[in-house]
Amino acid sequence: MAHLELKNITVRFGGLYALSELSFAIHTGEILGLIGPNGAGKTTIFNVLTGVYKPTEGDVIFEGESILGKKPHKIFSRGVARTFQNIRLFSKMTALENTMVAMHCRSTKGVMGALLRTNSQKAEEAYIKEKALEALKFMGVIQFADTVASNLPYGSQRRLEIARALASEPKVLLLDEPAAGMNPSESSELMKDIARISERGIDVLLVEHDMKVVMGVCNRIVCVEHGIKIAEGSPQEIQNNPKVIEAYLGQPAATHD
Amino acid sequence: MIQEFKKIWKQYAITMLWLLGLLWPLLGIHPDGTLSFKQTVNVWSYIFAGTFICFIFYIINKSGNFEFFTKPVVNTSQKLGDIVQAMPSWIWKSALLIGAIIYPILTGRYPTDVVINVLLYICLGLGLYVVVGLAGMLDLGHIAFYGVGAYTYAILNVQYGIGFWVCFPLAGLTACIAGCIVGYPTLRMRGDYLAIVTLGFGEIVRIILNNWMSLTNGPNGILGVKTIGILRPVMENGLTFEIFWVKKLEYFYYFALALAILTIIAVTRINFSRIGRALEAIREDETAAELMGVNTFYYKLLAYAMGAVFAGFAGALFAARMKFVSPESFTFLESVMVLSMVVLGGMSSIPGIILGVIALIVLPEVFRELESYRMLVFGLTMIIMMLFRPSGLIAAKRKKMMETKS
């Protein structure tokens, strides 16, 4: 069953087609890999899914409803969370506060609640904190809870970003190159984490250049080039797909026998 | 030792020569066309002697010859800091409160007047803190809301005879509405553009106050604003109430103190709530905040409106104290002063801002004896403070949240 679906998405910046007629779906319970050379439009897909860009044509369906044209924060509160290719933490806030921000859409108390510090407001704050700590623990960065985000080691910053996205208990998690800049042992750790996230019943869309990670953890892979989907299938199928090989390695000059 | 500090020596020498070059045209060229050197050299040698002594001390300190003296001082201050940390916060809070309460009794009329000013500016500064410090929006027209609050009370009181306690919330409300009116179309902008727009708004408000003769009486201002009246029980022939006008400055002080304390509490509570976190997230990375579920437009508007409300309340109190309002009090310079207090004190710490306000209000009063050099010394102090403490007098401290848990 399709959980989050892109239907014939076209994104045009002036005369440039960033995506054209692109369709694919993230099914319930799967880890979908999204690969493609640099500039293929992977991050544009993320921006369309999260509401940052409004596609020129096409539709985005989430849980049977169109989320096209909805504000990013509305889409997030419906359950589509993401991380960023270049880490975008709230750098002067602590790790715990970063994660607590994501709980914003799951809480309701306003100015009056904050001013009067009512019991229900205190209870809500405690709930927010508990959920945030849970997410930090899940991603193994609980020891940094009181550390200012910019002082965290690089790998932990990546993990914190995932923790922040997870705190609100999303239904779909979009990971934009989470293994970028990680060493082999860190990225194999990350693969385990992605599998654990999937076990929690969260669908994952993974954009990644590290093929070991993509092939190791994804159930299905979509390959895009120049904003067009060129292949879709299981990791084995993708690995043997001549179009994918061509996109990554270029056209063979001559065939060898 | 001198070798080590060769670079500093060189810099020092250049600075002193530069100063001499700067001083001579100022002191040595006279309006009647004559030139003199004596006065310049005199003034310069005084400055040279003073700075040279400071410089020697600096070098001795750097090379560690003062450690016998500085080390114990640092140690004891650290120990004192630990003791203060260990003390429950209500002890020093109540000590401060008692100090604030007995202050007007101990001092005279003039110091009380200065402190009332400080208290009003604390409300203004903390209002601006919500906008600049938390949400990270540069606001150069904050004083406009102060003006809106003050004029709301003045007009309602003088023209319609409505009392302070009815006007006070209304002043907050009108300031809030003004904030929303400006904020709604402009808060889509970011950074420098927003600063320009807010600057424009501040000027628009001042010009309206200056030119809308029928309502605001223009540059002449509004005279005869009544002060705060409270009902006081009287025990003559049974229990009756009479209106008591708060005319004495000492009494008025307590109202300003109450408002300042309420503002401090309110802003602290907002700071450490989900609203405060949302605003800080917007300051750190607006796009990421929006993508993490924060309705950035709504919260930016809310921050602007909240800042305006605090300024509006302070404005009403200001009108009640002065018994007179005029557009003169709400100029761009005042906005800049409030902003300087926030920046100087430490952009994102409430105690820092309070200290910043105290510094910027009290210092010019202290320097009053220097007469025409007052603003010069004041500016110099500001530059020095920003050089040595770029993140403000009291830098922001993150609240440790884990200690309360586990």
Side-chain angles (χ1 to χ4, degrees), chain B residues 266-289:
Chain B
V267 173
T268 316
R269 287 188 167 187
I270 286 168
N271 195 355
F272 297 110
S273 71
R274 69 188 273 275
I275 297 166
R277 279 194 301 275
L279 293 178
E280 280 193 284
I282 291 170
R283 179 192 68 202
E284 292 299 310
D285 189 332
E286 198 173 328
T287 315

Side-chain angles (χ1 to χ4, degrees), chain A residues 73 76-77 88-107 125 128-129 131-133 160 163-168, chain B residues 271 273-296 299 398 401:
Chain A
H73 67 93
F76 179 83
S77 66
R88 296 185 82 158
L89 289 165
F90 307 124
S91 45
K92 277 184 196 157
M93 299 166 81
T94 65
L96 182 60
E97 285 171 323
N98 263 279
T99 324
M100 284 169 91
V101 169
M103 282 299 290
H104 191 82
C105 63
R106 300 275 176 266
S107 45
E125 282 287 305
I128 292 171
K129 193 170 153 187
K131 282 280 170 197
L133 286 173
L160 175 58
R164 185 176 67 175
L166 283 176
S168 64
Chain B
N271 195 355
S273 71
R274 69 188 273 275
I275 297 166
R277 279 194 301 275
L279 293 178
E280 280 193 284
I282 291 170
R283 179 192 68 202
E284 292 299 310
D285 189 332
E286 198 173 328
T287 315
E290 174 82 27
L291 284 163
M292 286 298 132
V294 177
N295 186 348
T296 48
Y299 277 98
R398 302 310 312 182
M401 296 223 209

Side-chain angles (χ1 to χ4, degrees), chain B residues 326-392:
Chain B
S326 84
E328 288 287 287
S329 318
F330 312 109
T331 54
F332 174 61
L333 191 72
E334 290 292 309
S335 278
V336 173
M337 278 298 280
V338 180
L339 190 67
S340 315
M341 289 165 188
V342 173
V343 175
L344 190 85
M347 280 267 243
S348 29
S349 85
I350 293 170
I353 288 167
I354 295 170
L355 206 64
V357 172
I358 293 171
L360 287 204
I361 300 276
V362 175
L363 278 186
E365 300 297 329
V366 173
F367 293 147
R368 218 168 255 284
E369 291 180 10
L370 299 173
E371 287 165 12
S372 52
Y373 290 103
R374 182 164 75 116
M375 287 328 265
L376 190 74
V377 175
F378 179 59
L380 210 67
T381 333
M382 263 179 89
I383 291 172
I384 290 170
M385 280 208 247
M386 277 341 270
L387 272 178
F388 286 99
R389 289 213 147 241
S391 58

Side-chain angles (χ1 to χ4, degrees), chain A residues 84-89 153-155 157-158 161 164, chain B residues 285:
Chain A
F84 299 89
Q85 189 177 344
N86 35 359
I87 301 172
R88 296 185 82 158
L89 289 165
Y154 180 81
Q157 289 195 8
R158 286 247 172 240
E161 250 205 341
R164 185 176 67 175
Chain B
D285 189 332

Side-chain angles (χ1 to χ4, degrees), chain A:
Chain A
M1 196 189 90
H3 202 169
L4 180 60
E5 194 180 357
L6 287 170
K7 271 188 178 168
N8 296 319
I9 292 290
T10 299
V11 175
R12 215 172 48 216
F13 298 119
L16 179 82
Y17 282 82
L19 299 174
S20 48
E21 299 280 308
L22 190 91
S23 306
F24 69 86
I26 304 161
H27 300 301
T28 312
E30 77 171 348
I31 302 173
L32 179 68
L34 180 62
I35 61 169
N38 284 328
K42 300 177 303 273
T43 301
T44 309
I45 293 173
F46 267 44
N47 284 338
V48 168
L49 284 172
T50 50
V52 178
Y53 295 156
K54 195 170 185 276
T56 322
E57 277 163 53
D59 205 353
V60 185
I61 311 286
F62 179 58
E63 295 185 318
E65 247 182 274
S66 172
I67 52 168
L68 197 72
K70 288 237 171 7
K71 286 264 184 71
H73 67 93
K74 283 268 192 289
I75 293 174
F76 179 83
S77 66
R78 280 188 167 216
V80 182
R82 70 173 287 182
T83 65
F84 299 89
Q85 189 177 344
N86 35 359
I87 301 172
R88 296 185 82 158
L89 289 165
F90 307 124
S91 45
K92 277 184 196 157
M93 299 166 81
T94 65
L96 182 60
E97 285 171 323
N98 263 279
T99 324
M100 284 169 91
V101 169
M103 282 299 290
H104 191 82
C105 63
R106 300 275 176 266
S107 45
T108 53
K109 288 283 173 284
V111 179
M112 272 344 234
L115 287 183
L116 301 175
R117 228 169 241 187
T118 52
N119 281 335
S120 61
Q121 194 260 356
K122 279 186 206 156
E124 193 183 80
E125 282 287 305
Y127 171 72
I128 292 171
K129 193 170 153 187
E130 185 194 312
K131 282 280 170 197
L133 286 173
E134 212 178 283
L136 289 177
K137 206 175 273 170
F138 184 82
M139 286 310 295
V141 282
I142 187 90
Q143 71 272 29
F144 297 117
D146 274 335
T147 313
V148 174
S150 56
N151 293 345
L152 255 62
Y154 180 81
S156 303
Q157 289 195 8
R158 286 247 172 240
R159 285 167 171 281
L160 175 58
E161 250 205 341
I162 300 174
R164 185 176 67 175
L166 283 176
S168 64
E169 300 194 334
K171 290 162 187 154
V172 180
L173 178 64
L174 315 177
L175 297 173
D176 203 344
E177 300 196 19
M182 283 188 172
N183 62 34
S185 75
E186 280 175 324
S187 57
S188 76
E189 193 64 33
L190 183 79
M191 280 163 71
K192 281 182 210 154
D193 288 328
I194 294 171
R196 274 166 61 223
I197 291 167
S198 180
E199 276 163 28
R200 280 175 67 159
I202 298 166
D203 310 333
V204 180
L205 175 63
L206 174 69
V207 166
E208 188 49 71
H209 277 304
D210 188 336
M211 284 304 146
K212 226 169 122 191
V213 173
V214 178
M215 296 300 164
V217 79
C218 294
N219 311 111
R220 212 155 56 85
I221 293 170
V222 170
C223 182
V224 287
E225 192 195 10
H226 300 308
I228 300 162
K229 183 170 81 178
I230 56 168
E232 185 174 350
S234 69
Q236 282 75 30
E237 285 166 14
I238 291 291
Q239 268 170 334
N240 299 323
N241 189 313
K243 273 185 168 173
V244 177
I245 297 168
E246 195 190 303
Y248 270 89
L249 301 176
Q251 211 158 9
T255 43
H256 301 276
D257 275 45

